[in-house]
């Protein structure tokens, strides 16, 4: 069934997804997410209104409704003047935004134009705090000194980098500089290398998401590679996979999948693999199903799933834990297959997402489309939710025993 109560974050993500896809219609995005088209349209309109005025329609800057047509016209003229001034400021600021660090350049723009517009108005239009601007201005001398020191260090780094055929990264360059008598730490070397575009030769490694804890208690295998279930909310599989972001970063996705319909009933994304990640996914599954009492959840032996906190959460939810053999991906093949499909269809041949924002939006769209739109071969080319609804209808029509 389609959810009728949507949290604020879901609404914001849905609107952001629509705005990130210029060629898509509201109808397409609504169908992908499994929401009513008019509902999504109302969210977009509300967001448009918030972007344009920052307040509900018919309300003046003082928060009161206009007392007359003259007052309303005066309010509109004042707003037009504000918008024209804002447009003028943003046009001039656009030249500053192409110079690298956006926040620093906003501060510089405020400093250069404060005599004409005032610090308060400029900070309001550019979305920066006045206290932050004043702090930035008061530390100008210190920043200049640090910049000079960074440039001097960059020269030393480039010398070492070139001497070793461009193969050294921050740890080895730090060691080389220390042997040459410089007092410098690796974090600073890495920061300066990023700033000046110096990169070492780095081989990509396969990211390991399953790290078993030898001392942790293990649950028996209640699945036995039988990835089927006679009805919904009986058997689930859970897993963690990584989402490559940029050159070095990762996000991590934890999932809970119903083996009857292959529906993704719970998921969570974070920049870490701590136990909270799988707890969030389990809690999301509980919200979807209302109750998981008596269900089996099959996972690998990752430290997150063997933790006491996760075992306690499963016990509280009435979930029986099941675990595959250590190091055997075939024992959790349903989850592994889902992860492979997810990354293949979201990355589409790329090695990584451009940034975290893109990764989260692409995941948000695909994970909802997987349940509401994407056809599954095992389900007779129906989506998981459509399959569950069909099964529920058949059960209702079946004669009582």
């Amino acid at each position: 069934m389609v959810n009728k109560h949507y949290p604020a974050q879901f609404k914001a993500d849905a609107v952001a997804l629509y705005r990130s896809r210029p060629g898509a219609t509201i109808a397409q995005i609504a169908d992908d997410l499994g929401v009513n088209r008019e509902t999504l349209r109302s969210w977009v309109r509300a967001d448009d209104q918030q972007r344009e005025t920052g307040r509900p329609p018919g309300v003046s800057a003082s928060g009161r409704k206009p007392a007359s047509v003259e007052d309303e016209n005066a309010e509109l003229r004042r707003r037009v003047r504000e918008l024209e001034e804002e447009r003028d400021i943003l046009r001039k600021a656009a030249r500053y935004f192409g110079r690298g660090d956006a926040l620093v350049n906003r501060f510089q723009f405020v400093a250069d134009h404060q005599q004409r517009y005032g610090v308060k108005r400029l900070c309001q239009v550019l979305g920066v705090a006045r206290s932050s601007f004043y702090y930035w201005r008061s530390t100008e001398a210190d920043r200049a000194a640090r910049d000079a020191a960074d440039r001097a260090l960059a020269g030393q780094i480039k010398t070492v980098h070139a001497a070793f055929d461009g193969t050294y990264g921050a740890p080895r360059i730090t060691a080389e500089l220390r042997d040459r008598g410089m007092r410098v730490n690796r974090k600073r070397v890495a920061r300066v290398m990023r700033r000046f575009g110096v990169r070492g030769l780095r081989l990509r490694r396969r990211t390991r998401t399953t790290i078993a804890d030898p001392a942790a208690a293990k649950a028996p295998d209640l699945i036995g590679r039988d990835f089927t279930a006679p009805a919904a909310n009986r058997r689930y599989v859970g897993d963690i996979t990584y989402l490559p972001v940029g050159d070095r970063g990762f996000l991590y996705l934890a999932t809970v999948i119903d083996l009857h319909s292959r529906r993704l009933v719970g998921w969570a994304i974070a920049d870490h693999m701590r136990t909270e990640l799988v707890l969030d996914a389990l809690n999301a599954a509980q919200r979807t199903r209302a109750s998981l009492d008596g269900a089996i959840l099959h996972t690998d032996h990752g430290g997150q799933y063997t933790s006491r906190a996760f075992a306690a959460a499963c016990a509280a939810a009435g979930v029986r834990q099941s675990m595959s053999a250590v190091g055997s991906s075939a024992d959790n093949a349903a989850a592994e297959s889902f992860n492979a499909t997810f990354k293949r269809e979201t990355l589409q041949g790329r090695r990584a997402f451009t940034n975290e924002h893109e990764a989260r939006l692409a995941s948000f769209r695909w994970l909802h489309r997987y349940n509401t739109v994407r056809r599954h071969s095992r389900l007779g080319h129906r989506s998981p939710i459509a399959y569950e609804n069909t099964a529920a209808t058949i059960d209702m029509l079946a004669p009582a025993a």
Side-chain angles (χ1 to χ4, degrees):
M1 297 296 291
V2 177
N3 187 12
K4 299 298 183 183
H5 304 285
Y6 301 93
Q9 186 60 49
F10 180 93
K11 297 177 183 179
D13 287 343
V15 173
L17 177 62
Y18 169 72
R19 297 194 186 286
S20 70
R21 296 174 59 80
T25 65
I26 285 182
Q28 291 171 336
I29 298 299
D31 291 345
D32 285 351
L33 299 180
V35 302
N36 183 276
R37 297 178 181 182
E38 286 305 315
T39 299
L40 178 57
R41 197 183 308 278
S42 69
W43 296 345
V44 173
R45 281 198 299 265
D47 187 70
D48 287 339
Q49 181 185 69
Q50 183 67 23
R51 286 166 174 258
E52 291 174 5
T53 66
R55 55 183 178 270
V59 178
S60 66
S62 63
R64 298 188 298 271
K65 292 187 176 180
S68 66
V69 174
E70 289 77 10
D71 291 342
E72 186 173 0
N73 288 337
E75 173 70 15
L76 290 173
R77 286 193 295 271
R78 184 196 64 78
R79 183 57 182 159
V80 167
R81 288 194 299 271
E82 284 185 354
L83 291 173
E84 288 177 343
E85 181 182 68
E86 183 174 325
R87 180 191 61 187
D88 186 42
I89 291 172
L90 292 175
R91 280 179 176 175
K92 293 178 179 179
R95 295 192 296 271
Y96 285 70
F97 295 161
R99 302 178 184 175
D101 189 300
L103 186 58
V104 169
N105 290 327
R106 291 182 189 191
F107 290 154
Q108 188 62 56
F109 179 82
V110 173
D112 293 346
H113 295 81
Q114 60 182 318
Q115 295 300 323
R116 178 172 180 178
Y117 299 103
V119 172
K120 180 178 180 180
R121 178 62 173 152
L122 289 169
C123 289
Q124 180 185 36
V125 173
L126 298 181
V128 296
R130 277 186 289 167
S131 59
S132 299
F133 166 73
Y134 288 126
Y135 175 80
W136 173 83
R137 193 170 63 179
S138 68
T139 57
E140 184 175 0
D142 293 338
R143 289 198 309 279
R146 285 196 299 270
D147 181 70
D150 282 353
R151 290 183 182 277
L153 177 60
Q156 297 288 339
I157 289 173
K158 290 177 181 178
T159 299
V160 173
H161 190 255
F164 292 92
D165 300 325
T167 60
Y168 272 13
R172 288 188 173 88
I173 288 179
T174 302
E176 185 68 23
L177 292 176
R178 286 175 176 172
D179 284 347
R180 297 185 181 192
M182 292 187 65
R183 297 181 61 184
V184 64
N185 63 54
R186 183 185 62 78
K187 290 184 178 179
R188 185 186 175 200
V189 170
R191 176 178 60 80
V192 172
M193 289 178 67
R194 286 195 300 271
R195 177 184 174 187
F196 291 93
V198 182
R199 296 181 178 85
L201 182 64
R202 181 175 180 272
L203 299 176
R204 291 186 69 91
R205 296 180 180 177
R206 183 180 181 274
T207 301
R208 185 183 179 191
T209 55
T210 301
I211 303 175
D213 182 359
K218 305 299 189 297
D221 186 349
L222 305 178
I223 295 293
R225 298 191 182 183
D226 177 14
F227 299 108
T228 61
N233 203 22
R234 300 284 186 83
R235 287 178 157 194
Y236 295 93
V237 291
D239 200 11
I240 300 174
T241 190
Y242 70 94
L243 285 62
V245 178
D247 292 333
R248 299 177 177 84
F250 293 97
L251 292 176
Y252 299 92
L253 169 68
T255 55
V256 179
I257 301 168
D258 193 314
L259 287 178
H260 174 68
S261 62
R262 292 303 196 267
R263 180 176 179 177
L264 179 66
V265 297
W267 57 275
I269 294 178
D271 58 0
H272 61 80
M273 287 198 300
R274 295 190 294 273
T275 302
E276 298 91 77
L277 176 64
V278 295
L279 288 174
D280 287 345
L282 179 63
N283 291 334
Q286 276 190 283
R287 290 193 297 271
T288 299
R289 293 304 197 195
S291 173
L292 298 175
D293 189 34
I296 294 172
L297 176 58
H298 184 75
T299 66
D300 57 30
H301 282 80
Q304 304 87 349
Y305 294 112
T306 58
S307 66
R308 292 182 179 178
F310 188 74
C314 287
V319 172
R320 291 188 293 162
Q321 282 189 271
S322 169
M323 291 185 182
S324 59
V326 176
S328 175
S329 60
D331 285 353
N332 203 14
E336 297 285 350
S337 176
F338 174 91
N339 294 338
T341 301
F342 165 73
K343 285 192 278 192
R344 182 176 64 249
E345 295 187 5
T346 53
L347 288 170
Q348 296 185 357
R350 296 179 297 164
R351 298 183 68 187
F353 295 101
T354 303
N355 52 49
E356 180 176 331
H357 178 71
E358 181 201 9
R360 288 183 180 274
L361 268 187
S363 300
F364 175 78
R365 175 178 181 268
W366 192 93
L367 294 171
H368 281 284
R369 287 188 78 249
Y370 171 83
N371 277 338
T372 61
V373 177
R374 187 184 180 279
R375 298 179 184 275
H376 200 296
S377 59
R378 186 183 173 278
L379 308 178
H381 293 285
R382 285 169 288 182
S383 70
I385 288 181
Y387 182 81
E388 284 193 357
N389 291 340
T390 301
T393 302
I394 293 173
D395 289 343
M396 290 176 59
L397 296 177

